[in-house]
Amino acid sequence: MLSTKIGILGGGQLGLMLLQASVDWNLDISVLDGDPDAPCSKLAPHFQQGSIQDFDTVYAFGKGLDLITVEIEKVNIDALEALEKEGKQVYPQPSVLRIIQDKRVQKQFYQDHGIATAPFVLTDSRADVRSNAAMLPAFHKLGKDGYDGQGVRKIATADDFESAFDAPGVLEKAIPFEKELAVIVARRPGGEVRTFPVVEMAFHPEKHLVEYLFAPASVTREVEDKAVTLAVEVAEALGITGLLAVEMFLTKEGDVLVNEVAPRPHNSGHHTIRANVTSQYEQHWRAILDLPLGDTSSFSPAAMVNLLGEPGFEGPARYEGIEKLLAEKAVFPFLYGKKITKPFRKMGHVTVMSENLELLTEKVDFVKSNIRVIS
Amino acid sequence: MLSTKIGILGGGQLGLMLLQASVDWNLDISVLDGDPDAPCSKLAPHFQQGSIQDFDTVYAFGKGLDLITVEIEKVNIDALEALEKEGKQVYPQPSVLRIIQDKRVQKQFYQDHGIATAPFVLTDSRADVRSNAAMLPAFHKLGKDGYDGQGVRKIATADDFESAFDAPGVLEKAIPFEKELAVIVARRPGGEVRTFPVVEMAFHPEKHLVEYLFAPASVTREVEDKAVTLAVEVAEALGITGLLAVEMFLTKEGDVLVNEVAPRPHNSGHHTIRANVTSQYEQHWRAILDLPLGDTSSFSPAAMVNLLGEPGFEGPARYEGIEKLLAEKAVFPFLYGKKITKPFRKMGHVTVMSENLELLTEKVDFVKSNIRVIS
């Protein structure tokens, strides 16, 4: 199966890290992305510029391959379904992508399968949102096309209704949570699953973007078990082949609720490249190639800091402070090679490792105050 | 310095692993190799087919770059010297390559610098070897062009003189050694050095090829210190910028002698990709880009098994047993993507990790009996 011709839809940083992991097994990989300068463009064994949302482009790309995967959900699912019908392996399956791609369908899926999630109503318009004042405080999420914190609006009081999307979405009750957790599950076609240790995420206060995370999460064994069980429950309900990253809320009452999921490698697993026996990227290959899943245990507690484009800078990217980071023990910057930086654009990440949470926190602070992505 | 245009002479497996490590920093890398199907050919951001031993080819390749490095010693040093004179950074330095490329010069260098090494005589011909019967038992090594165990002949008794090379070489007294050890040293332009933990190598009985190794070596702290000190001594005597892999003999008397060195990432450091905080490949980039050297400590004891082409098979390579290996905990095959296998050709390696030497030994045996590279 190592000679399988593999295609990745999307050539961003997740694709890049998948490529890096694929080197060990000499996988034959083609990447499709609309941007000729995408992070994968120089490194992919085969790179094709083209829209991952266009039926004909995706279909033609997949025709010459054996196995197609994704590094982003926003792809042409019709084309993937057509390819699947013709006998191509498509993992995650188009049916799973269809559920996840639309946050409305995703939420409904949780409800239908008795999976714990925050209360919500489906809304078709801004007027619809207004008529659900009882849900406030809440978040309004676009059904489709949201990414990296785009497509989410906080509706704290009736004064915020103006900022709701006037398009199909989900109005979700804001949960007064204690922490946000994530678990990455890998599942093989036959059903074998394996999970990575629970991580704890800190989000940027305004941008709804992961700012940094700690692994493992500082939670009780009981919460850990709940989170892992819930994540596996979602993966099994979906019947996904590949990785599923499950983001969850830990409520003040100690309950764990699914927030949302991603059917691919995820920001909350970047640190596994350095800190775990098997990285999430290698695990994705193992799962979709139907190979035995790898050991997910970690060598050391770790934290991951996202390197976001500094506000106020837009243009050719420059990383300031890399050398200071490299001079520290077990501080590992990973740069995505995007030519242009923009405020809050994900430009890279930094993994740090240390024996305990206190030292990790110090290292995270050090990283945050010593590196900037400017222009 | 991360925007430096970098060239690697040689596109084999060491180049491939250098490329893999370069992904984290988005380095801009060009690779030159004579084989259009070399392991790096598909993955390198820029790949050029051409002879690394031809002056004009190497010179033209280097002209458009800022920094040139190597993954093999057998390159055109005159071209590198010309490039260095024009202000290009060439690491390891051509002067160092000149010493190492010829085993005769290398041995003389040790003697001149008081570096402990096995007794030897320089020989110009087979007749010369015959006239040094007092050195027997000995090894006769070709001055130039030996690699992967080619270019070494055992001359145990006068009966073996016929197998000596009739070309300039070194006749080196066979040391009744206890173990063969290796230490990889990294050295920055300013002189900062850092070493990886001492490893212990087991060679194939006939082929003079590393068959497997254990890290760390099972030696006393005193021997460890001697080996590290000696390795650093050689790196400093050479004044090398980059990695220097130093292979050594531990004699039955507990002395440590330099056997030979390689000015680049080395077979004896493959396991560092999985088992150490910083891999030898990342460390090479750090050293030659004049960045702070990384922490070399290991997460776990490890062993590395070379995957050699099975005797009796020559043709398109096929790896038999990969799936069995992947089903084991912390067993990591790395395949080099060479199209053609030949008896004893280096086709890949397998890193295994475990808590102790006994479990490592079991895993090594498991790997050796479960995987074959055939055609």
Side-chain angles (χ1 to χ4, degrees):
Chain A
M1 74 305 289
L2 297 181
S3 58
T4 307
K5 285 181 186 228
I6 301 167
I8 307 176
L9 299 185
Q13 65 266 19
L14 299 171
L16 185 69
M17 292 180 261
L18 281 170
L19 277 180
Q20 187 182 37
S22 79
V23 173
D24 289 45
W25 302 342
N26 185 43
L27 301 179
D28 181 9
I29 295 180
S30 303
V31 174
L32 179 68
D33 195 292
D35 177 1
D37 292 325
C40 287
S41 60
K42 287 209 197 97
L43 206 74
H46 315 279
F47 180 81
Q48 185 184 324
Q49 187 196 350
S51 169
I52 57 174
Q53 292 171 53
D54 177 64
F55 182 95
D56 293 340
T57 309
V58 171
Y59 181 76
F61 174 75
K63 273 299 261 187
L65 305 169
D66 305 313
L67 168 61
I68 299 101
T69 189
V70 305
E71 60 114 46
I72 184 169
E73 298 84 285
K74 207 177 150 188
V75 295
N76 192 294
I77 299 177
D78 293 337
L80 291 178
E81 259 169 2
L83 291 163
E84 192 183 44
K85 272 192 198 117
E86 292 175 21
K88 304 293 183 188
Q89 291 181 294
V90 183
Y91 296 136
Q93 303 92 318
S95 57
V96 172
L97 286 171
R98 224 177 257 295
I99 293 165
I100 293 172
Q101 197 183 61
D102 188 330
K103 291 209 170 100
R104 294 158 53 95
V105 182
Q106 197 184 130
K107 283 296 274 190
Q108 195 60 54
F109 179 86
Y110 301 145
Q111 198 168 66
D112 295 348
H113 288 76
I115 291 165
T117 188
F120 67 96
V121 287
L122 302 183
T123 55
D124 289 322
S125 63
R126 188 174 294 147
D128 237 10
V129 177
R130 279 183 196 283
S131 69
N132 282 287
M135 293 291 285
L136 303 194
F139 289 96
H140 194 223
K141 298 179 177 178
L142 264 185
K144 291 192 174 190
D145 300 346
Y147 68 95
D148 278 2
Q150 309 291 314
V152 180
R153 296 281 162 76
K154 177 147 199 188
I155 317 289
T157 68
D159 291 347
D160 298 325
F161 279 136
E162 263 322 292
S163 66
F165 298 104
D166 198 14
V170 185
L171 187 68
E172 189 179 291
K173 209 168 177 54
I175 298 292
F177 60 80
E178 189 71 30
K179 290 184 172 187
E180 295 198 57
L181 307 176
V183 170
I184 294 173
V185 186
R187 188 173 176 279
R188 286 175 76 178
E192 186 196 343
V193 293
R194 203 165 277 196
T195 56
F196 283 88
V198 187
V199 304
E200 178 174 342
M201 297 174 292
F203 280 76
H204 187 279
E206 289 148 44
K207 294 289 165 185
H208 307 291
L209 265 169
V210 176
E211 198 172 7
Y212 53 93
L213 68 78
F214 292 102
S218 299
V219 292
T220 62
R221 178 64 194 263
E222 192 195 343
V223 168
E224 210 177 293
D225 289 346
K226 273 190 197 173
V228 168
T229 303
L230 185 58
V232 170
E233 192 185 338
V234 182
E236 291 183 338
L238 288 167
I240 191 170
T241 290
L243 287 192
L244 187 76
V246 184
E247 297 186 49
M248 289 167 279
F249 296 121
L250 170 62
T251 69
K252 300 220 184 275
E253 293 76 36
D255 293 325
V256 181
L257 307 177
V258 172
N259 176 16
E260 55 187 57
V261 303
R264 51 167 170 77
H266 190 252
N267 200 194
S268 63
H270 290 339
H271 64 286
T272 60
I273 298 176
R274 294 283 184 170
N276 294 62
V277 176
T278 306
S279 77
Q280 67 163 339
Y281 300 98
E282 177 176 326
Q283 197 76 311
H284 186 66
W285 291 127
R286 288 178 181 247
I288 70 175
L289 289 164
D290 200 13
L291 291 166
L293 299 176
D295 178 11
T296 58
S297 61
S298 67
F299 296 121
S300 147
M304 188 280 303
V305 185
N306 270 326
L307 293 184
L308 305 177
E310 192 74 12
F313 294 88
E314 181 156 350
R318 212 156 55 73
Y319 297 84
E320 202 182 68
I322 287 288
E323 199 163 341
K324 269 188 268 178
L325 265 56
L326 291 175
E328 289 295 306
K329 190 172 163 167
V331 172
F332 298 104
F334 197 118
L335 314 178
Y336 299 155
K338 297 177 184 175
K339 289 201 169 166
I340 303 298
T341 184
K342 292 177 197 171
F344 302 107
R345 188 175 194 196
K346 285 182 182 167
M347 299 301 291
H349 71 260
V350 183
T351 297
V352 304
M353 290 190 275
S354 230
E355 303 92 85
N356 60 50
L357 189 61
E358 196 183 336
L359 292 173
L360 279 179
T361 309
E362 278 173 23
K363 275 193 177 172
V364 166
D365 289 343
F366 172 82
V367 168
K368 290 204 289 185
S369 55
N370 278 286
I371 190 165
R372 293 198 313 163
V373 189
I374 58 174
S375 178
Chain B
M1 75 304 290
L2 298 181
S3 58
T4 307
K5 285 180 186 229
I6 301 166
I8 307 176
L9 299 185
Q13 64 265 22
L14 299 171
L16 185 68
M17 292 181 260
L18 281 170
L19 276 180
Q20 187 181 37
S22 79
V23 173
D24 289 46
W25 302 343
N26 185 43
L27 299 179
D28 182 9
I29 295 178
S30 302
V31 173
L32 179 68
D33 195 291
D35 178 1
D37 292 323
C40 286
S41 60
K42 287 210 197 97
L43 206 75
H46 315 279
F47 180 80
Q48 186 185 322
Q49 186 197 351
S51 169
I52 58 175
Q53 293 172 53
D54 176 63
F55 182 96
D56 292 339
T57 308
V58 172
Y59 181 76
F61 174 75
K63 274 299 261 187
L65 304 170
D66 305 314
L67 168 60
I68 299 99
T69 189
V70 305
E71 59 113 49
I72 184 170
E73 297 84 283
K74 207 176 150 190
V75 296
N76 191 296
I77 300 178
D78 293 336
L80 291 178
E81 259 171 1
L83 290 163
E84 189 183 46
K85 272 193 196 116
E86 291 174 23
K88 304 291 182 189
Q89 292 182 293
V90 183
Y91 296 135
Q93 303 93 317
S95 56
V96 172
L97 286 171
R98 225 177 255 295
I99 292 165
I100 294 172
Q101 198 183 61
D102 188 330
K103 291 210 170 97
R104 295 158 52 94
V105 182
Q106 199 185 127
K107 283 294 275 191
Q108 194 60 53
F109 179 86
Y110 301 145
Q111 195 168 68
D112 295 347
H113 288 76
I115 292 165
T117 191
F120 67 96
V121 286
L122 301 183
T123 55
D124 289 320
S125 63
R126 189 173 295 147
D128 237 9
V129 176
R130 281 183 196 282
S131 69
N132 282 285
M135 293 292 284
L136 303 194
F139 289 95
H140 193 224
K141 299 180 176 178
L142 265 184
K144 292 192 175 189
D145 302 345
Y147 68 94
D148 278 1
Q150 308 293 314
V152 180
R153 297 278 162 78
K154 178 147 198 187
I155 316 290
T157 68
D159 291 345
D160 299 325
F161 279 135
E162 261 322 291
S163 66
F165 298 103
D166 198 15
V170 185
L171 187 69
E172 191 179 290
K173 210 171 177 53
I175 297 293
F177 58 81
E178 188 70 32
K179 291 184 172 186
E180 294 199 58
L181 307 176
V183 170
I184 294 175
V185 186
R187 187 173 177 278
R188 286 175 75 179
E192 186 197 344
V193 294
R194 202 166 279 197
T195 56
F196 283 87
V198 186
V199 304
E200 177 174 342
M201 298 174 292
F203 281 76
H204 187 279
E206 289 148 43
K207 293 290 165 183
H208 305 292
L209 267 167
V210 175
E211 198 173 5
Y212 54 93
L213 67 77
F214 293 102
S218 300
V219 292
T220 62
R221 178 62 193 263
E222 192 195 343
V223 168
E224 208 178 294
D225 289 346
K226 271 191 197 172
V228 168
T229 303
L230 183 59
V232 169
E233 191 185 338
V234 182
E236 291 182 339
L238 289 167
I240 192 172
T241 289
L243 288 193
L244 188 76
V246 183
E247 295 186 49
M248 291 167 280
F249 297 121
L250 170 62
T251 68
K252 301 219 184 272
E253 294 74 36
D255 293 325
V256 181
L257 306 178
V258 172
N259 176 14
E260 55 185 58
V261 303
R264 50 165 171 80
H266 189 252
N267 202 196
S268 63
H270 290 338
H271 64 287
T272 60
I273 298 177
R274 294 284 183 168
N276 293 61
V277 177
T278 307
S279 76
Q280 68 163 341
Y281 301 97
E282 176 174 327
Q283 197 77 310
H284 185 68
W285 291 126
R286 288 178 182 248
I288 69 175
L289 289 163
D290 201 11
L291 291 166
L293 298 176
D295 178 11
T296 57
S297 60
S298 66
F299 296 122
S300 149
M304 189 278 303
V305 184
N306 271 327
L307 293 184
L308 305 177
E310 192 74 12
F313 294 90
E314 180 155 352
R318 213 158 54 77
Y319 297 85
E320 204 182 65
I322 286 289
E323 199 163 340
K324 269 188 268 178
L325 266 55
L326 290 174
E328 288 295 305
K329 191 172 162 168
V331 171
F332 298 104
F334 197 118
L335 315 179
Y336 300 155
K338 296 176 184 176
K339 289 200 171 170
I340 303 297
T341 186
K342 292 176 199 171
F344 302 107
R345 188 175 193 197
K346 286 183 182 167
M347 299 302 290
H349 70 262
V350 183
T351 297
V352 303
M353 292 190 274
S354 231
E355 303 91 85
N356 60 51
L357 188 61
E358 196 184 334
L359 292 173
L360 280 179
T361 309
E362 279 173 23
K363 276 193 178 172
V364 165
D365 289 342
F366 172 82
V367 168
K368 289 203 290 185
S369 56
N370 278 286
I371 191 165
R372 291 198 314 164
V373 189
I374 59 175
S375 178

